[in-house]
């Protein structure tokens, strides 16, 4: 059965054996590990997808330091856990100095890869949760000022600090509104919504701010949805 929710890893290596072993062991933890088409295309791939971990093979790619720099400078994957394979001492020191989190030296044994993946798994989960956006249809009410009108909308997705909605109304970027969000188990989340974008076809994106109590209530519900979607993992 296909896993319903996976953490993502990007592999940058010219070693087919390493890529195969890392991919297979990652799969056992619910991690979807994919090879980069080329080291020069890593920046593009980081821009189109969020990755919670990256494997960079200093031994086989010609210019690994810019690859590592592109990870740390990327918008969505800068906190990714970076595994490096660097056998010569000078490369190992370079990898560590430039922000690699774990460094293998050849020969790379499968048991060492498995142990490193297990050790890093908790951080990958936390990273995935921080960017978690849950696709769901919830009823939400938006109010403009004291007498500016109250509008009903439906969420398309929601995160800890934002949501996108579908409605028959248009909003101006920067516009602030009161928001009342109904959760499936009952109860309302109250906060302030700031319009980020509006496509003029009834779809709008908002940044959200809540009181600590409301934030904790929303995050508790999102945590439960995240746990349901996250594939079970085996920890050695």
């Amino acid at each position: 059965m296909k896993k319903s929710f996976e953490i993502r890893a990007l592999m940058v290596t010219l070693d087919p054996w390493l890529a195969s072993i890392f991919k297979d062991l990652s799969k056992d933890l619910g991690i979807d590990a994919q090879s980069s088409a080329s080291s020069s295309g890593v920046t593009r791939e980081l821009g189109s997808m969020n990755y919670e971990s990256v494997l960079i093979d200093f031994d086989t790619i010609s210019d690994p330091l810019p690859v590592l720099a592109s990870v740390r400078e990327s918008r969505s994957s800068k906190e990714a856990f970076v595994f490096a394979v660097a056998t010569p001492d000078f490369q190992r020191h370079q990898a560590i100095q430039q922000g690699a989190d774990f460094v293998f030296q050849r020969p790379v044994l499968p048991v060492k890869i498995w142990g490193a993946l297990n050790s890093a798994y908790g951080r990958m989960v936390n990273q995935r949760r921080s960017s978690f956006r849950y696709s769901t249809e919830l009823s939400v009410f938006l109010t403009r000022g004291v007498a500016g009108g109250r509008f009903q909308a439906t969420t398309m997705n929601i995160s800890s600090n934002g949501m996108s909605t579908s409605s028959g109304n248009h909003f101006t970027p920067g516009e602030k509104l009161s928001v009342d969000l109904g959760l499936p188990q009952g109860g309302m989340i109250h906060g302030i919504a700031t319009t980020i974008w509006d496509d003029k076809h009834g779809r709008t994106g908002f940044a959200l701010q809540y009181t600590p109590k409301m934030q904790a209530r929303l995050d508790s519900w999102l945590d439960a949805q995240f746990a349901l979607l996250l594939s079970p993992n085996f920890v050695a």
Side-chain angles (χ1 to χ4, degrees), residues 1 18 22-23 35 46 92-93 102-103 110 124 198 220:
M1 184 175 69
L18 175 63
F22 191 88
K23 183 179 180 67
S35 294
L46 291 171
R92 183 170 62 86
H93 292 313
F102 191 96
V103 180
M124 293 184 214
D198 188 291
S220 177

Side-chain angles (χ1 to χ4, degrees), residues 122-196:
R123 177 168 152 185
M124 293 184 214
V125 170
N126 290 337
Q127 179 65 15
R128 187 73 167 98
R129 172 63 183 88
S130 69
S131 61
F132 179 53
R133 186 171 289 271
Y134 185 51
S135 296
T136 185
E137 294 184 354
L138 301 178
S139 180
V140 59
F141 293 92
L142 298 159
T143 304
R144 282 184 167 125
V146 177
R150 182 175 171 86
F151 310 95
Q152 184 171 7
T154 302
T155 63
M156 295 186 295
N157 58 62
I158 185 167
S159 67
S160 292
N161 56 12
M163 67 178 179
S164 59
T165 66
S166 175
S167 72
N169 301 284
H170 304 312
F171 303 92
T172 303
E175 180 180 3
K176 293 186 180 296
L177 308 98
S178 297
V179 59
D180 298 298
L181 172 70
L183 294 180
Q185 72 269 28
M188 299 290 287
I189 301 292
H190 310 289
I192 301 297
T194 302
T195 307
I196 301 299

Side-chain angles (χ1 to χ4, degrees), residues 46 51-54 70-82 99 101 120 123-124 126-128 130:
L46 291 171
Y51 292 97
E52 285 70 52
S53 65
V54 180
S70 68
V71 175
R72 292 305 182 217
E73 293 168 3
S74 68
R75 181 177 179 182
S76 60
S77 303
K78 62 182 178 181
E79 300 298 330
F81 193 99
V82 175
D101 298 290
R123 177 168 152 185
M124 293 184 214
N126 290 337
Q127 179 65 15
R128 187 73 167 98
S130 69

